Amino acid sequence: DSRNGHLVHHITVKASYKEDCKDRTTSSMIWVWAPGTGEFTFPGEVGIRIGGGEGFKSISLEYHYDNPELKAQLKDSSGIQIHLAPVNDNSVDAAILQVGDPLVGLHSTPIPEGLSHFSFTCKSGFFDALKEPITILRGGHHMHKRGHAMTTRVRGNTSSVTATNYYDFDQSGANLNTGGFTIQKGDALEIDCYYKVPKGKVVQMGLGSDDE
């Protein structure tokens, strides 16, 4: 939306295996948009199952806004388009894998002044249930205003690094990195987040744009 679209912090698309999309116990995130995100088309026969006996039954959109000036009576009609295609014998299921601290378990944790570093690890046992390798189509890093850089490393059967060396909050959706690598049983993930906080500024982990 050209009127107030600049206030959209991000949009998440969640799907549920129940007809009531409000039931978060059976919902999964299937897509996310942030400023700078461009169009994306799954390759070949890859997609997310919607409907039928095995697909999601309902979809919900969740909008997160950043309105620091507390302006009232604003309207926004930003949205997304979803394209459907029939399932066939060659269809391959896609999903989103969230790693690091996506649910902000470190909420209210202070971030020190200057350059600091937080590390998160998915140990090798995390992927022990895999029956076949996961192919990563695209990876993305999400931080807020004090985010400086971020890396994701795969260690184990394969070794790869996805890096955002200079993070830009105003173009957070553009921090998408080409995939093309796999995660296998026994692999581990290491996520490193770097923050740069000015002297005298109080910053903590949280949901707001001024948090991290």
Side-chain angles (χ1 to χ4, degrees):
D1 190 320
S2 60
R3 297 171 301 173
N4 295 304
H6 63 286
L7 299 179
V8 181
H9 179 275
H10 67 271
I11 302 172
T12 61
V13 184
K14 298 179 181 179
S16 174
Y17 288 108
K18 292 186 176 181
E19 294 184 359
D20 181 5
C21 60
K22 296 179 181 180
D23 187 349
R24 292 180 176 268
T25 62
T26 62
S27 67
S28 299
M29 185 182 297
I30 61 173
W31 195 244
V32 62
W33 178 93
T37 301
E39 294 183 356
F40 177 73
T41 302
F42 286 115
E45 303 296 333
V46 178
I48 297 172
R49 290 180 186 263
I50 304 293
E54 299 179 355
F56 292 109
K57 299 296 189 296
S58 59
I59 294 177
S60 64
L61 270 67
E62 188 173 290
Y63 292 75
H64 292 229
Y65 292 96
D66 184 19
N67 183 15
E69 297 180 5
L70 303 179
K71 293 182 178 179
Q73 305 299 319
L74 298 179
K75 295 182 179 180
D76 175 56
S77 60
S78 300
I80 65 168
Q81 288 184 332
I82 298 176
H83 299 272
L84 300 179
V87 176
N88 58 51
D89 293 338
N90 297 319
S91 295
V92 179
D93 292 318
I96 285 184
L97 173 65
Q98 295 177 277
V99 293
D101 189 17
L103 300 180
V104 198
L106 292 181
H107 195 285
S108 300
T109 299
I111 300 175
E113 295 179 357
L115 187 63
S116 62
H117 166 235
F118 286 74
S119 182
F120 306 90
T121 303
C122 293
K123 298 181 179 179
S124 58
F126 185 82
F127 297 105
D128 279 354
L130 287 181
K131 296 181 180 179
E132 56 185 299
I134 299 175
T135 299
I136 304 301
L137 300 176
R138 190 163 71 168
H141 291 144
H142 182 70
M143 308 174 82
H144 288 176
K145 291 182 178 180
R146 305 305 169 187
H148 183 65
M150 190 172 179
T151 61
T152 301
R153 291 180 172 84
V154 181
R155 300 188 185 277
N157 298 292
T158 57
S159 180
S160 64
V161 179
T162 301
T164 301
N165 296 316
Y166 302 99
Y167 189 85
D168 182 357
F169 173 69
D170 292 328
Q171 289 291 310
S172 56
N175 296 298
L176 297 173
N177 303 280
T178 303
F181 59 91
T182 62
I183 297 175
Q184 303 180 44
K185 183 177 181 178
D187 284 348
L189 291 181
E190 297 175 358
I191 301 91
D192 293 295
C193 303
Y194 299 87
Y195 303 98
K196 198 170 185 179
V197 177
K199 185 176 181 179
K201 186 75 173 180
V202 178
V203 180
Q204 63 182 14
M205 296 293 189
L207 299 175
S209 297
D210 290 324
D211 300 324
E212 281 297 338

